[in-house]
Amino acid sequence: MASNFREVSRPIYDYDVKRLVREYEKSLKAIQAELNTLFLTDFERAQIVAVEHNIRAILRDLNKYGNAWASAAITKSATEGIAATLYALHLAPTLEEARKIATFNSINKPLVEAIIADTQADLLAVTQNVDRRTRATVRQVAAVVLREKTAQGINGTQSLQRAMTRQLREKLGSAADSAIVDSAGRKWKLKTYTEMLARTKMLEAHKEATRNEAIAQGTQYGVISRHGATDACSKWEGKVVAFTYDAPGNYPIFDELPRNEIFHPNCKHVITPVRRPDRLPADIRELNGI
Ligand SMILES: [Zn+2]
């Protein structure tokens, strides 16, 4: 029997991811500009208070943006996963038609809410990290400046040696962009971390919504996409996995896949639901020993 396998294409989220990253970069620049004003007044107490106040306002706006972004982006990618499922299972003639009828079922509704909340919490942790680091560094640099001024017994900016000023500027400049350590102990720059977070959460929403919709439609299997990956994912390309523990056959369980190999952060693999693994195209069946 001829295969009617409709493979889910990889969603491209570059635009959404870039929008969020750009907002973070803009805020970072604004914070660095705020920090630079401290040198103009030689770290006067009142100026420090004003700068800290402004930085908090910048971060508050950023949090607001991040919350709205997470809500819209996760909803969008989950909807896309549901539409892709309806199309893959031949429940809609085109992907376009599938998008029109895609709705959140009773498993996907709480799932989407949970991923949105999770993404918002992770983004909040990023801004809290920036807030903490900048305030600590401002205090440290202010102490150095005060010490130098006292030692030289002179008031005024010229008391600061140029070399030291440059060094302190660099210290302050990098404070806002200092490394973020994730739960696995890896260190990230703000931009790469935010980008990874945005992309990973959007793909997670897509993947989980796909699985849930597939199960709701009575489908227990999925095929992992193939794009010629060269990392650990490569051995999973084209593999059939079972969405539930009671799915007949001896397929790896979706929830038990090793996350350091497949569906890791920044992973670009997606999953296509299939009703009958025995009706997959010959090359995929061969790959799975079906
Ligand atoms: Zn991958």
Side-chain angles (χ1 to χ4, degrees):
M1 178 182 178
S3 176
N4 57 2
F5 183 50
R6 280 180 175 176
E7 195 161 13
V8 170
S9 59
R10 173 151 62 94
I12 307 293
Y13 293 134
D14 292 354
Y15 173 75
D16 304 270
V17 170
K18 255 185 216 136
R19 257 179 49 211
L20 181 74
V21 171
R22 206 182 303 134
E23 211 56 31
Y24 268 77
E25 286 188 300
K26 238 171 61 190
S27 299
L28 203 62
K29 279 211 185 83
I31 289 170
Q32 282 162 343
E34 281 293 333
L35 292 171
N36 273 325
T37 66
L38 290 172
F39 287 96
L40 300 175
T41 63
D42 227 2
F43 286 79
E44 272 169 20
R45 182 73 206 135
Q47 184 65 11
I48 291 178
V49 172
V51 163
E52 284 183 346
H53 173 86
N54 292 345
I55 289 176
R56 230 168 292 137
I58 292 167
L59 291 174
R60 215 169 21 238
D61 284 349
L62 187 58
N63 283 335
K64 232 182 272 169
Y65 186 92
N67 284 345
W69 181 91
S71 180
I74 299 301
T75 303
K76 174 183 163 179
S77 55
T79 307
E80 194 63 26
I82 294 163
T85 302
L86 297 174
Y87 175 68
L89 295 177
H90 294 259
L91 296 169
T94 62
L95 190 56
E96 205 44 52
E97 288 299 314
R99 284 195 188 102
K100 286 182 201 160
I101 56 167
T103 50
F104 291 164
N105 62 29
S106 58
I107 351 176
N108 270 328
K109 223 176 270 167
L111 166 97
V112 169
E113 277 165 20
I115 299 180
I116 289 172
D118 203 33
T119 309
Q120 289 171 336
D122 283 353
L123 289 173
L124 181 65
V126 174
T127 55
Q128 280 171 341
N129 185 64
V130 171
D131 187 39
R132 203 168 45 241
R133 298 290 186 101
T134 48
R135 266 190 291 161
T137 310
V138 165
R139 273 196 297 275
Q140 282 169 16
V141 174
V144 174
V145 171
L146 182 64
R147 199 157 51 231
E148 285 299 309
K149 278 202 297 193
T150 310
Q152 297 189 6
I154 312 162
N155 284 318
T157 33
Q158 69 271 30
S159 66
L160 287 177
Q161 289 167 18
R162 253 175 231 283
M164 194 193 78
T165 308
R166 195 170 58 237
Q167 200 192 3
L168 293 180
R169 268 184 203 278
E170 278 167 13
K171 193 174 164 66
L172 263 189
S174 61
D177 196 17
S178 54
I180 292 160
V181 181
D182 68 12
S183 55
R186 284 171 298 222
K187 278 187 171 180
W188 304 78
K189 275 297 196 185
L190 187 83
K191 180 179 184 252
T192 43
Y193 182 76
T194 314
E195 201 175 324
M196 178 278 290
L197 185 66
R199 206 178 288 283
T200 305
K201 293 292 183 192
M202 285 190 83
L203 287 167
E204 184 191 342
H206 185 280
K207 184 163 48 72
E208 295 295 335
T210 297
R211 185 253 295 260
N212 287 344
E213 181 67 22
I215 290 172
Q217 300 291 352
T219 299
Q220 289 181 295
Y221 309 96
V223 180
I224 295 171
S225 59
R226 294 175 289 178
H227 59 251
T230 51
D231 60 2
C233 288
S234 60
K235 72 175 189 197
W236 290 101
E237 291 199 326
K239 285 287 163 68
V240 174
V241 296
F243 288 143
T244 55
Y245 284 88
D246 61 354
N250 199 17
Y251 302 106
I253 306 292
F254 180 75
D255 276 331
E256 292 182 351
L257 297 174
R259 288 303 153 103
N260 55 342
E261 288 181 6
I262 181 78
F263 303 135
H264 53 78
N266 277 330
C267 182
K268 293 184 170 68
H269 286 93
V270 288
I271 197 144
T272 298
V274 281
R275 285 192 201 284
R276 299 273 304 262
D278 61 326
R279 289 188 186 168
L280 279 164
D283 59 330
I284 299 180
R285 274 189 284 120
E286 196 181 324
L287 205 68
N288 289 276
I290 305 168

